PDB file of all heavy atoms in Angstrom:
ATOM      1  N   SER L  26      76.718  29.657  43.079  1.00  0.00           N
ATOM      2  CA  SER L  26      76.548  31.097  42.878  1.00  0.00           C
ATOM      3  C   SER L  26      76.298  31.366  41.404  1.00  0.00           C
ATOM      4  O   SER L  26      76.982  30.835  40.548  1.00  0.00           O
ATOM      5  CB  SER L  26      77.772  31.872  43.368  1.00  0.00           C
ATOM      6  OG  SER L  26      78.877  31.620  42.535  1.00  0.00           O
ATOM      7  N   GLN L  28      76.224  34.549  40.129  1.00  0.00           N
ATOM      8  CA  GLN L  28      76.965  35.749  39.719  1.00  0.00           C
ATOM      9  C   GLN L  28      78.443  35.536  40.008  1.00  0.00           C
ATOM     10  O   GLN L  28      78.828  35.220  41.118  1.00  0.00           O
ATOM     11  CB  GLN L  28      76.453  36.973  40.465  1.00  0.00           C
ATOM     12  CG  GLN L  28      77.130  38.249  40.039  1.00  0.00           C
ATOM     13  CD  GLN L  28      76.590  39.444  40.814  1.00  0.00           C
ATOM     14  OE1 GLN L  28      75.803  39.272  41.730  1.00  0.00           O
ATOM     15  NE2 GLN L  28      77.016  40.620  40.459  1.00  0.00           N
ATOM     16  N   ARG L  29      79.259  35.740  38.996  1.00  0.00           N
ATOM     17  CA  ARG L  29      80.693  35.564  39.168  1.00  0.00           C
ATOM     18  C   ARG L  29      81.318  36.919  39.458  1.00  0.00           C
ATOM     19  O   ARG L  29      81.123  37.870  38.708  1.00  0.00           O
ATOM     20  CB  ARG L  29      81.296  34.979  37.898  1.00  0.00           C
ATOM     21  CG  ARG L  29      82.755  34.711  38.020  1.00  0.00           C
ATOM     22  CD  ARG L  29      83.323  34.087  36.782  1.00  0.00           C
ATOM     23  NE  ARG L  29      84.758  34.314  36.852  1.00  0.00           N
ATOM     24  CZ  ARG L  29      85.522  34.552  35.824  1.00  0.00           C
ATOM     25  NH1 ARG L  29      85.011  34.555  34.638  1.00  0.00           N
ATOM     26  NH2 ARG L  29      86.798  34.758  35.980  1.00  0.00           N
ATOM     27  N   THR L  30      82.075  37.030  40.530  1.00  0.00           N
ATOM     28  CA  THR L  30      82.740  38.289  40.857  1.00  0.00           C
ATOM     29  C   THR L  30      84.100  38.315  40.184  1.00  0.00           C
ATOM     30  O   THR L  30      84.807  37.314  40.166  1.00  0.00           O
ATOM     31  CB  THR L  30      82.915  38.446  42.379  1.00  0.00           C
ATOM     32  OG1 THR L  30      83.688  37.356  42.872  1.00  0.00           O
ATOM     33  CG2 THR L  30      81.579  38.496  43.080  1.00  0.00           C
ATOM     34  N   PRO L  31      84.484  39.472  39.615  1.00  0.00           N
ATOM     35  CA  PRO L  31      85.788  39.558  38.954  1.00  0.00           C
ATOM     36  C   PRO L  31      86.916  39.504  39.979  1.00  0.00           C
ATOM     37  O   PRO L  31      86.722  39.874  41.137  1.00  0.00           O
ATOM     38  CB  PRO L  31      85.753  40.907  38.241  1.00  0.00           C
ATOM     39  CG  PRO L  31      84.645  41.672  38.867  1.00  0.00           C
ATOM     40  CD  PRO L  31      83.717  40.687  39.495  1.00  0.00           C
ATOM     41  N   PRO L  32      88.060  39.061  39.565  1.00  0.00           N
ATOM     42  CA  PRO L  32      89.195  38.997  40.493  1.00  0.00           C
ATOM     43  C   PRO L  32      89.594  40.395  40.972  1.00  0.00           C
ATOM     44  O   PRO L  32      89.250  41.409  40.365  1.00  0.00           O
ATOM     45  CB  PRO L  32      90.315  38.380  39.665  1.00  0.00           C
ATOM     46  CG  PRO L  32      89.710  37.907  38.407  1.00  0.00           C
ATOM     47  CD  PRO L  32      88.375  38.529  38.268  1.00  0.00           C
ATOM     48  N   LEU L  33      90.320  40.437  42.055  1.00  0.00           N
ATOM     49  CA  LEU L  33      90.730  41.692  42.671  1.00  0.00           C
ATOM     50  C   LEU L  33      91.566  42.534  41.715  1.00  0.00           C
ATOM     51  O   LEU L  33      91.414  43.748  41.663  1.00  0.00           O
ATOM     52  CB  LEU L  33      91.520  41.406  43.952  1.00  0.00           C
ATOM     53  CG  LEU L  33      91.998  42.619  44.734  1.00  0.00           C
ATOM     54  CD1 LEU L  33      90.813  43.454  45.197  1.00  0.00           C
ATOM     55  CD2 LEU L  33      92.838  42.199  45.927  1.00  0.00           C
ATOM     56  N   LEU L  36      89.337  44.421  39.365  1.00  0.00           N
ATOM     57  CA  LEU L  36      88.690  45.528  40.063  1.00  0.00           C
ATOM     58  C   LEU L  36      89.646  46.703  40.224  1.00  0.00           C
ATOM     59  O   LEU L  36      89.260  47.862  40.038  1.00  0.00           O
ATOM     60  CB  LEU L  36      88.175  45.077  41.433  1.00  0.00           C
ATOM     61  CG  LEU L  36      87.005  44.101  41.420  1.00  0.00           C
ATOM     62  CD1 LEU L  36      86.683  43.640  42.840  1.00  0.00           C
ATOM     63  CD2 LEU L  36      85.793  44.730  40.779  1.00  0.00           C
TER      64      LEU L  36
END
Side-chain angles (χ1 to χ4, degrees):
S26 69
Q28 183 180 6
R29 183 178 161 215
T30 59
L33 181 61
L36 291 175

